[in-house]
Each structure stands twice: as structure tokens, then as C-alpha cells.
Amino acid sequence: MPPADPTPAPGALTGLRVVDCSTVLAGPYATMLLADLGADVIKVEPPDGDATRGWGPPWVGEEADGSRTAAYYLAVNRNKRSIRLDLRQEAGRAILRRLIARSDVLVENFRAGAMPRLGLGDDDLQRLNPALIHLAITGYGKDSPDPSRPGYDFVIQAESGLMSITGPADGEPGAGPHKVGVAISDVVTGLNGAVAVLAAVVARGRPTAATAPANGQRIDVSLLGATLAALVNQAQNAFVGGEAPRRLGNAHPNIVPYQTFDTADGTIAVAVGSERQWPRFCRALGLPALADESRFATNGDRVRNRADLIPTLTDRLAERSSAEWLAALDAAEVPAGPINDVAAAFESPWAGGATVALEHPQAGIVRQVAPAVVLSATPATVRTAPPGLGEHSAEILADLGETQESIADFRAAGVI
């Protein structure tokens, strides 16, 4: 587990400033991705802070000294600077406007109508900073029947159809719709938001003395829209097949065999993803004749005759241990793997470099998931710990030209 690098090579987004007014997961995840790539992300927090600071246990820090922070918050807020701003006060709103005027990107997930009430409607932002890229994250989209309806990952998973295709099949133990084990609607929304910001940065270009001023744009992404888009093949199956996909547990709707199987001492995942792998799989199981049966000759045949094939495979795989089958399938070049828990997944030799050791001011060394992308010349890096509430307020205000005296006045008035 390598340590964080406080003085890394410049990232691809070095020099890009992002004002992050978002809270919880989707927006902060998007801005953390930008921060990992080198952007200067200023996290603007309400007086009580981002709600996820209190979403524990587990915690780091101590409640007695006010440093207690939930692991949830730590997960998506590294490489950022925090300013605490009371936007109910005009002085707080004025500071936010000054930050936006000097920034490249604004990210927010306020409910519909909140931005105009802050004096930051679309026209206001255009006048304030014509080059601004404004990412607005909502639950259901600005053109939905009720743009102000709040979006929550769990509800979005239900309404998007995702839960209807997740979980054991009807008739199996525990059958019924299930949520995904991570807040996947928030995650895919954050990913889509970050990609859209990068596209807008490219589209905007960099203004020079010989060119017209750069143009920004508004980006809208909703939790529902991002989750519907993530249905990919299942959505297309519904469109083409004319009926809603059904739950198949750990099986695949379009590929067979592509699911989990119980062994003599555990469970493994098997993914026969090509016609070339099918006969190799049959030979590895000691069932070579299966490969010659017309019922199972092609993947389409195996999908149609799933109910005939799977019991045979299930009985055979139950005869030997997971380790024995994984070794045999590896030798046959058939994709397969163990069912790891989260802790085991990060200890796997295949996950080398997937974590980084970060020095946290209250908790000491904290392990974090490393950036998933590896750029050879402009690396994504982990440089600083998730900030304390308002940790950088004075520093950020000094960047705006405020004096120590004026900063003290803001603090005394509860603005910061």
C-alpha cells in the first residue's frame, strides 16, 4: 500500500478550479474524481457541514474534541479544500459569488429553485462568469414533472427498474427485488457528471488574446437518468423483447453459463463468455460430451435450454472444492474466481496498487481506495486528506484578497 504523494507530478487538470457546493455522494464523488486528476476543488459546506460527516459508524477522530468524522465522508472528499459558508447571510452568498467568478466549474445538487433564490440563476451565472461550466445534479431532471422532487439512491434504484432485475429469481429462497450493495445510482451519476465536465472543458477550450472569450455551459444530470442509462443491455432486452427482464439471481440474461455455482466447500463465479471457452469448460469439468450436444451447441442454444443445462453443471461442480475447480478452470483458460468479501478483495494479489495510505490529522494513517485510472504522464494522485469542516476557510478567503481582520470579522459573524 503506497503512501499518498504530497508533491506529485502535475495532473491533467492542474490549474482547473472547481467550486463544489454538492453534498452526500453523487456530486462529491464527481468532484473527487476531478480533484484526483489535479483540479483545485473548493468544497463549500453549510454551517453544519456535509451530512455524510455524521453518517457513521465507523468513525475516525473523537466526538469529545469535535473531530469525529464518518468513514462515508472520507470516501469521496480527499484532495479538496473546505470553506464553511452560511449562505443564509448575504455576506456568505457574496463570497460564493466571488469564488464562482474566479472558477472554471461549479457543481451543485440544490433542489430546483434554490440557485435563483441565492442570486445564482442561469442568467446570473452567465453574467458573473461566461466561461463557467455549471454541473447541476438532481434526482429526476429539470424537465421532469416535478424538478424539485428530491432524489435518493435507494428510491432511484427502485423506480429505475434496477431492483426488479437484482436479487434471487422468483421461487428461490429470498426471492424479491434487492438493491445493489453500494449506492450505485449515486456512483454512476457522479461518473457521468465528471465525464460531462471534462467534455465541457474540452469544448470550451482555453481563451487567448487572439480568440474570443471561452464559453461555458450548463450540464444537467439526474440520478434517475444516469441509472436508466446504466441498465444498458437489460434496457435493450426490454425494448427488443417487448417484456420486462426478470430476475435471475447471479445468472446472466444473455450468456450461459455465466453465474455462481456452489462447490464442495464454497461458491465460485464462472463466466463462459465465448464459444471457444465452452468446450474447454466442458473438458475441465470432465463432461466433454456436453460440448457435442446440439441443445448446448451455441450460446443461444444454452440460453434457451438453461433449465436443462444448469442442474448438470451444478451437480458436477458440487463434487470438488473451490480451489480444485479454480485451478482446473484456470488451466483451461476459462474465466472463474472466488467470491471475496470486501476486505479479502483488497488483499488479493490481483488488487495490487488498489489502495493508498493517507495521513489523516485526527486518525493517523487511513487506507483509501486509489484512483482507478493510471495516466502515464499526468497521473491521478491522492495528495491530501479529506478536509475538516471549514479547514481552509481562511486560506481560501486570503486567496480572494481578504485580510486577517476581515476574515476574523466573517468568523465572528458566523459567515464562515
Side-chain angles (χ1 to χ4, degrees), residues 16-227:
L16 191 80
R17 174 168 288 182
V18 179
V19 174
D20 179 12
C21 292
S22 67
T23 59
V24 187
L25 182 51
Y29 185 60
T31 56
M32 185 183 73
L33 296 177
L34 301 176
D36 287 352
L37 292 168
D40 175 19
V41 176
I42 298 174
K43 184 174 180 67
V44 178
E45 299 194 63
D48 292 335
D50 189 320
T52 59
R53 290 182 179 275
W55 285 10
W59 310 95
V60 299
E62 300 295 333
E63 186 174 13
D65 63 9
S67 67
R68 191 176 77 164
T69 303
Y72 199 117
Y73 170 82
L74 300 182
V76 290
N77 285 291
R78 66 183 178 221
N79 289 336
K80 302 179 185 180
R81 297 189 290 162
S82 171
I83 181 171
R84 178 185 179 275
L85 273 186
D86 185 354
L87 298 181
R88 295 168 298 183
Q89 299 190 47
E90 173 53 33
R93 297 191 292 271
I95 291 171
L96 178 57
R97 287 193 291 270
R98 291 165 64 189
L99 287 172
I100 292 171
R102 298 184 179 203
S103 297
D104 300 283
V105 180
L106 167 66
V107 178
E108 50 87 9
N109 62 346
F110 294 123
R111 291 179 67 171
M115 289 291 284
R117 287 195 295 273
L118 292 172
L120 294 171
D122 289 346
D123 292 341
D124 301 309
L125 292 175
Q126 174 65 24
R127 287 190 295 269
L128 188 64
N129 185 348
L132 183 71
I133 295 163
H134 171 201
L135 171 60
I137 297 173
T138 58
Y140 297 87
K142 67 182 182 66
D143 296 323
S144 67
D146 182 4
S148 67
R149 184 184 178 193
Y152 291 88
D153 177 276
F154 180 59
V155 177
I156 295 293
Q157 287 195 41
E159 291 191 79
S160 68
L162 180 59
M163 285 176 62
S164 77
I165 56 172
T166 306
D170 290 339
E172 295 183 356
H178 285 59
K179 71 178 182 69
V180 178
V182 71
I184 196 66
S185 293
D186 278 325
V187 171
V188 296
T189 301
L191 284 167
N192 277 279
V195 170
V197 166
L198 296 177
V201 170
V202 172
R204 185 184 71 170
R206 296 293 184 184
T208 68
T211 63
N215 291 317
Q217 60 181 301
R218 176 179 170 129
I219 301 164
D220 285 279
V221 60
S222 71
L223 272 68
L224 179 61
T227 309

Side-chain angles (χ1 to χ4, degrees), residues 47-48 81 96 130 139 144-145 161 179 183 232 245 269 273 279 291 315 359 384 389 413 415:
D48 292 335
R81 297 189 290 162
L96 178 57
S144 67
K179 71 178 182 69
V232 286
D315 290 344
E359 180 73 29
T384 60
L389 175 58
V415 175

Side-chain angles (χ1 to χ4, degrees), residues 241-310:
E243 60 183 27
R246 58 193 176 92
R247 287 186 309 283
L248 294 172
N250 286 324
H252 195 288
N254 304 108
I255 308 173
V256 172
Y258 202 98
Q259 63 182 77
T260 55
F261 290 96
D262 290 338
T263 66
D265 63 353
T267 306
I268 62 173
V270 175
V272 179
S274 74
E275 298 298 2
R276 288 179 298 174
Q277 293 169 1
W278 169 241
R280 299 202 301 265
F281 176 67
C282 294
R283 289 193 295 270
L285 265 60
L287 301 171
L290 276 182
D292 298 324
E293 287 201 32
S294 59
R295 291 179 300 162
F296 312 133
T298 69
N299 179 68
D301 295 326
R302 295 191 292 276
V303 171
R304 283 187 294 273
N305 296 296
R306 183 196 304 262
D308 296 329
L309 174 61
I310 296 303

